[in-house]
Amino acid sequence: MPFPSIACSRPIFTEVVRPELRGSIIAYQAMVEGLMGSLGAFWVGRLAQYTFHYQTSRAAVEDMPPALREQNARALGLALTITTTIPWTICTLLYSLVHFTYKHDRNRAAESQSHMW
């Protein structure tokens, strides 16, 4: 599991929601991350094959022509680069927004918690 999930999202989510919702918010977070993560391999394959011209072969890797191996390695490398850099860039931008909202959300959650007791 990536570090933002454990080191950032979970602590923040548990501080900005009511205690009775903490389990649910962590479950939703795990569900969304699992869903997005499961789509990664699909998109790597699609990009490699249809955008970067990965060519499947039934031959063993050592029996494939060097040019085909290089083309396939390049296609997979580019597809992996795109499917990691774009989501991580979006993730970084969204986490940056937390800088502006966290204090307000944490204080509001603490205030609503104090009114309950």
Side-chain angles (χ1 to χ4, degrees):
M1 194 170 273
F3 80 90
S5 174
I6 295 168
C8 186
S9 296
R10 288 183 184 182
I12 288 173
F13 288 157
T14 58
E15 287 187 358
V16 299
V17 299
R18 296 188 315 266
E20 63 270 14
L21 297 176
R22 288 178 182 162
S24 296
I25 197 72
I26 298 301
Y28 287 131
Q29 175 201 7
M31 178 189 69
V32 169
E33 285 183 0
L35 175 66
M36 293 298 140
S38 67
L39 295 174
F42 170 78
W43 284 112
V44 167
R46 300 293 282 190
L47 281 171
Q49 189 171 9
Y50 296 110
T51 304
F52 301 117
H53 312 293
Y54 181 93
Q55 295 177 14
T56 58
S57 174
R58 294 196 184 273
V61 173
E62 60 269 2
D63 297 333
M64 293 169 59
L68 180 58
R69 286 195 311 226
E70 289 174 16
Q71 170 59 31
N72 284 349
R74 181 180 171 281
L76 285 172
L78 289 170
L80 282 167
T81 299
I82 287 173
T83 58
T84 55
T85 56
I86 291 174
W88 276 106
T89 300
I90 293 168
C91 182
T92 300
L93 292 173
L94 292 175
Y95 273 106
S96 297
L97 296 175
V98 172
H99 173 75
F100 300 105
T101 62
Y102 173 70
K103 184 178 179 181
H104 171 71
D105 292 341
R106 184 193 64 210
N107 291 343
R108 189 179 59 195
E111 186 178 305
S112 72
Q113 176 87 14
S114 67
H115 287 119
M116 293 177 66
W117 303 106

